[in-house]
Amino acid sequence: MSRASGNQDPEELMKEVQEARRIKMLHQPSKVMDMEHELQALRIQLVEKSKQSLQLQKELAIRKRAEEDVSHLYELDGPEALGSYLRIQSCSGRAAELSNCSIQWYRLTAGGGKKELISGATKPIYAPEPFDVGRILQVDIISDGQRITLTTTGPIDPAAGLGNYVEALVRRHDTEFNVVIGQMNGLDHQSQSIHVLHVGKMRMKLCKGKTTVTKEYYSNSMQLCGVRGGGNAAAQALFWQAKIGLSFVLAFESERERNAAIMLARRFAFDCNIMLAGPDDRSPLGT
């Protein structure tokens, strides 16, 4: 048409091209049908995907409700602070007896990254110790193959005034604490007589009157930490491995004295290039 009229207007040429394409499509119905079939298949796939999405949302909601029901079988009770103790309590008649469950406590960084197993902390009661300050505590309860995890609402708080108290003790050459031996080498100690634990700048010593029970310099074989289990008095007791083959559980007059003794001994040991901690401490499980 353009050649016949001699008109080369671009707009007219575009209209002619569009008309030519439309006429070509009308004469190729197979391509149109293919497109319609493809659209129909896409519609069917979209419907199926929507059904699957709804089903997955329902399953997720059901599983979430089940997990919430499980987590409410137990709860952590007690102040989340140094100087106290935390207790696992059942809050449902469907909860298994804790004596029939496997229990393990962990400490986590505030961000929830590093997770450290607290070796020996396998009882329903755990008393935070100085290493736990600023950490979140977690406990796993396993019953009939089902794992229930509880965590503290936030990091463990420090004990009020304890830091200043320890700083005052650091200036002394030797600090004495009255203690009672609860266990010796893992066996219950029958005598309830008062002993004196000396925490010095170079060594620790346990005495009864003028008799020295043990006297050991800070070393890599020495261990010191809060008692990891027990009853209500756990916050007042510590575990001390003076050397390989000789260990004690010592009960103090108060929670403040127990935590001060741990912090003071660790401070002096650090000055001797010794990291004084409990069994398997500083052993991350993963990130």
Side-chain angles (χ1 to χ4, degrees):
M1 291 171 59
S2 299
R3 284 194 299 269
S5 62
N7 185 5
Q8 297 296 324
D9 184 22
E11 291 186 3
E12 292 296 330
L13 287 174
M14 288 177 61
K15 289 180 180 179
E16 291 177 14
V17 169
Q18 290 173 357
E19 180 67 15
R21 286 177 177 172
R22 187 182 69 81
I23 294 171
K24 185 176 181 180
M25 289 297 295
L26 289 175
H27 287 279
Q28 292 180 338
S30 59
K31 288 188 176 181
V32 176
M33 292 181 65
D34 289 344
M35 292 174 65
E36 289 180 351
H37 289 316
E38 186 176 350
L39 288 172
Q40 184 65 22
L42 289 173
R43 291 191 188 99
I44 294 173
Q45 290 181 15
L46 183 61
V47 171
E48 291 296 325
K49 295 292 184 183
S50 298
K51 290 181 180 179
Q52 292 178 8
S53 177
L54 290 173
Q55 183 64 28
L56 288 173
Q57 289 179 11
K58 289 180 181 179
E59 292 178 2
L60 182 62
I62 293 172
R63 180 167 294 185
K64 187 175 181 180
R65 284 197 297 270
E67 289 177 353
E68 289 175 349
D69 291 341
V70 168
S71 65
H72 286 127
L73 293 176
Y74 304 95
E75 63 182 6
L76 285 180
D77 181 60
E80 298 176 359
L82 187 63
S84 62
Y85 63 88
L86 297 169
R87 181 195 299 272
I88 303 171
Q89 286 190 335
S90 61
C91 51
S92 171
R94 297 182 293 107
E97 289 290 334
L98 290 171
S99 58
N100 299 326
C101 299
S102 174
I103 297 171
Q104 180 60 63
W105 292 81
Y106 303 87
R107 60 173 66 98
L108 290 71
T109 56
K114 185 183 293 185
K115 178 179 178 181
E116 298 174 0
L117 182 144
I118 306 175
S119 180
T122 58
K123 304 295 182 183
I125 290 179
Y126 177 74
E129 64 119 277
F131 264 164
D132 299 319
V133 173
R135 307 283 195 91
I136 294 172
L137 293 181
Q138 172 184 310
V139 59
D140 286 352
I141 308 163
I142 301 176
S143 175
D144 296 328
Q146 186 178 49
R147 183 187 300 271
I148 301 168
T149 298
L150 305 175
T151 59
T152 54
T153 57
I156 298 299
D157 293 325
L162 180 61
N164 293 333
Y165 177 54
V166 173
E167 286 301 320
L169 297 179
V170 167
R171 292 192 286 268
R172 302 180 185 178
H173 180 75
D174 183 272
T175 302
E176 299 180 358
F177 299 93
N178 291 330
V179 298
V180 172
I181 299 177
Q183 289 184 355
M184 184 172 177
N185 292 332
L187 301 176
D188 290 340
H189 198 265
Q190 300 301 322
S191 174
Q192 296 296 310
S193 58
I194 301 296
H195 290 63
V196 177
L197 178 67
H198 297 259
V199 179
K201 292 184 178 295
M202 301 294 294
R203 67 188 182 188
M204 294 177 65
K205 181 172 65 171
L206 183 64
C207 301
K208 181 182 178 183
K210 294 183 179 181
T211 303
T212 299
V213 178
T214 185
K215 178 174 62 177
E216 296 296 331
Y217 288 92
Y218 298 116
S219 67
N220 290 322
S221 63
M222 184 179 289
Q223 296 178 354
L224 186 73
C225 64
V227 164
R228 297 171 174 179
N232 301 348
Q236 295 177 229
L238 62 73
F239 168 81
W240 179 38
Q241 178 179 287
K243 59 183 178 180
I244 296 176
L246 181 60
S247 64
F248 303 89
V249 170
L250 304 177
F252 287 70
E253 294 178 328
S254 67
E255 296 86 351
R256 184 176 188 240
E257 296 291 291
R258 173 260 213 175
N259 292 318
I262 295 175
M263 294 173 66
L264 189 63
R266 286 176 178 168
R267 176 77 169 269
F268 290 150
F270 184 77
D271 291 340
C272 298
N273 295 319
I274 300 295
M275 177 62 73
L276 194 56
D280 300 322
D281 274 344
R282 305 300 191 186
S283 299
L285 295 183
T287 57

